[in-house]
Amino acid sequence: MSSETKEFKRILVTGGAGFLGSHLCRRLVREGHDVVCMDNFFTSQKTNVTDLLDKPNFELVRHDVTMPFFIECDQIYNMACPASPVHYQFNPVKTMKTSVLGMMNMLGLAKRVRARILQASTSEVYGDPNITPQPESYWGHVNCTGVRSCYDEGKRCAETLCFDYHRQNQVDVRVIRIFNTYGPGMHPYDGRVVSNFIVQALNGQDITIYGDGSQTRSFCFVDDLVDGIVRFMNQDECIGPVNLGNPHEFTIKQLAERTIQLTGSKSKLINEPLPHDDPKQRRPDITLARELLKWEPKVQLDEGLQKTIDYFAHVDMRTFKKPTQHDAHTNSRVDEKDAKKRKVAK
């Protein structure tokens, strides 16, 4: 099956000025589609899509997905939601609203105009998994009252809404579960492990590892992921959910060491406590994606890291600011203070 779409489409991308959304918009514009990028610029900014602003088939709209939006379109990619713990924990109620109300608004739009809609769900729906790798059939191990719950449970609820709209209203849905993704275009202050490590290494700062660094992640280069997203949207055999990510697993300590080597930095590794509910292991089973989409990641970690390092080495940091002053432990500290109040009978 070809990943290239042949038919011209009018496409809405929510969260289109974010890291993944901006790469997706470039791909769709390059294919010749009429692309409307919607974003409220909480964790993104216009500079992410500056190169697209003069394209006749690209339009940028400032709008919050939690508010109704009306447009004629053929496809909707719902990418809107803060994806970094430091950002989604800053305003957890807003995060939940983005996942739930935003999903309802976009599903309502898809129902009205008979558009196909793809929901960018997440590996976070698996929580701190008891099995590895995680297949789509695994229901997860999630703390519904924890500091990450606003994102985990918000995305789980969004998936539920997708399938209920499909069953009740025959909305044409697609659900993907995205695992850790990295690459050029990441926000230097997004709080994700790859960007944190690279920025710290390039600045000669100590690299901060939460916990002992033995927790694992699987890192997928952004170009590979976008290719999988577009392939899945444009196939007719499956509505999902489908895992998209890199099945090769690395410890956080290994990632830090490779970052130091590739940057030539003299940074040292320092350890801080693990934030609450931080998953110990994350690795996708991509059997379904391989069989259905003939897709798997092509870019190896060293190659992708080098491209990302080159991006950060030349980025003008004056054009970025921190969306919040939150850190990885802010909500965990509050949670610890409230621990006695949350005791339940055993």
Side-chain angles (χ1 to χ4, degrees):
M1 182 190 70
S2 171
S3 63
E4 298 296 325
T5 54
K6 305 299 183 184
E7 180 186 353
F8 167 83
K9 294 182 176 67
R10 293 168 295 180
I11 301 175
L12 171 66
V13 181
T14 71
F19 168 50
L20 285 180
S22 59
H23 280 271
L24 176 61
C25 284
R26 286 188 192 92
R27 164 73 177 258
L28 298 173
V29 167
R30 195 164 59 243
E31 290 182 354
H33 301 295
D34 187 17
V35 178
V36 176
C37 166
M38 181 222 288
D39 210 294
N40 69 351
F41 303 115
F42 168 48
T43 60
S44 61
Q45 50 199 58
K46 290 181 183 179
T47 53
N48 287 1
V49 291
T50 299
D51 58 309
L52 295 175
L53 294 178
D54 63 348
K55 304 293 184 183
N57 57 330
F58 179 80
E59 181 180 355
L60 178 62
V61 178
R62 182 189 291 267
H63 186 83
D64 194 310
V65 75
T66 63
M67 303 298 292
F69 187 71
F70 302 94
I71 191 173
E72 294 295 325
C73 59
D74 303 302
Q75 291 184 343
I76 303 166
Y77 289 85
N78 187 35
M79 314 296 290
C81 192
S84 166
V86 295
H87 292 160
Y88 65 65
Q89 291 180 29
F90 168 70
N91 190 339
V93 174
K94 175 70 170 180
T95 297
M96 181 70 81
K97 286 182 176 180
T98 300
S99 287
V100 179
L101 295 181
M103 187 79 262
M104 293 181 73
N105 286 333
M106 290 302 104
L107 285 165
L109 173 62
K111 176 186 173 184
R112 285 191 296 275
V113 301
R114 300 184 181 277
R116 177 174 292 181
I117 180 169
L118 180 143
Q119 164 63 359
S121 190
T122 172
S123 61
E124 295 288 344
V125 300
Y126 298 122
D128 189 6
N130 291 322
I131 63 173
T132 191
Q134 292 86 55
E136 292 88 351
S137 58
Y138 179 52
W139 289 355
H141 177 225
V142 177
N143 175 7
C144 65
T145 64
V147 295
R148 298 171 74 105
S149 303
C150 59
Y151 187 67
D152 301 2
E153 297 288 15
K155 289 289 189 175
R156 286 163 70 96
C157 182
E159 286 195 18
T160 300
L161 285 166
C162 282
F163 289 100
D164 283 339
Y165 264 79
H166 174 71
R167 283 185 285 257
Q168 182 174 329
N169 301 305
Q170 294 75 55
V171 174
D172 190 10
V173 301
R174 300 290 183 273
V175 176
I176 56 170
R177 291 174 177 167
I178 298 173
F179 284 68
N180 288 63
T181 305
Y182 71 101
M186 298 182 79
H187 197 296
Y189 300 119
D190 72 359
R192 300 187 219 199
V193 64
V194 173
S195 51
N196 277 356
F197 285 1
I198 291 176
V199 170
Q200 288 173 333
L202 289 174
N203 290 331
Q205 301 169 336
D206 290 336
I207 289 184
T208 305
I209 294 179
Y210 297 118
D212 62 7
S214 63
Q215 66 270 37
T216 67
R217 297 292 184 271
S218 304
F219 302 100
C220 186
F221 191 65
V222 63
D223 292 349
D224 285 334
L225 187 86
V226 168
D227 184 55
I229 291 173
V230 174
R231 286 178 183 237
F232 186 56
M233 172 65 104
N234 292 296
Q235 56 76 45
D236 299 317
E237 300 173 40
C238 176
I239 63 174
V242 169
N243 289 336
L244 290 179
N246 196 316
H248 299 292
E249 196 172 17
F250 296 89
T251 67
I252 296 301
K253 185 177 181 182
Q254 286 175 320
L255 176 69
E257 292 169 345
R258 291 304 297 145
T259 303
I260 289 173
Q261 291 171 2
L262 291 171
T263 56
S265 174
K266 298 190 182 301
S267 299
K268 294 180 172 55
L269 304 183
I270 60 172
N271 297 87
E272 291 192 7
L274 201 64
H276 288 193
D277 296 329
D278 193 70
K280 294 181 284 296
Q281 198 166 28
R282 192 58 61 72
R283 179 188 173 201
D285 181 335
I286 62 168
T287 301
L288 183 54
R290 284 190 176 115
E291 294 175 352
L292 178 70
L293 308 175
K294 305 297 184 284
W295 175 91
E296 62 183 326
K298 299 176 182 177
V299 179
Q300 300 301 312
L301 183 62
D302 277 8
E303 178 188 353
L305 279 179
Q306 190 60 64
K307 290 181 178 180
T308 311
I309 289 166
D310 292 343
Y311 162 77
F312 277 115
H314 296 95
V315 76
D316 185 354
M317 295 293 286
R318 295 172 300 177
T319 63
F320 294 92
K321 72 173 187 175
K322 291 184 177 181
T324 79
Q325 294 302 315
H326 236 53
D327 64 36
H329 289 95
T330 302
N331 285 21
S332 293
R333 288 191 288 267
V334 175
D335 215 31
E336 288 168 0
K337 290 181 181 179
D338 291 341
K340 291 182 180 179
K341 299 178 182 178
R342 295 186 294 104
K343 284 187 177 179
V344 295
K346 294 183 179 178

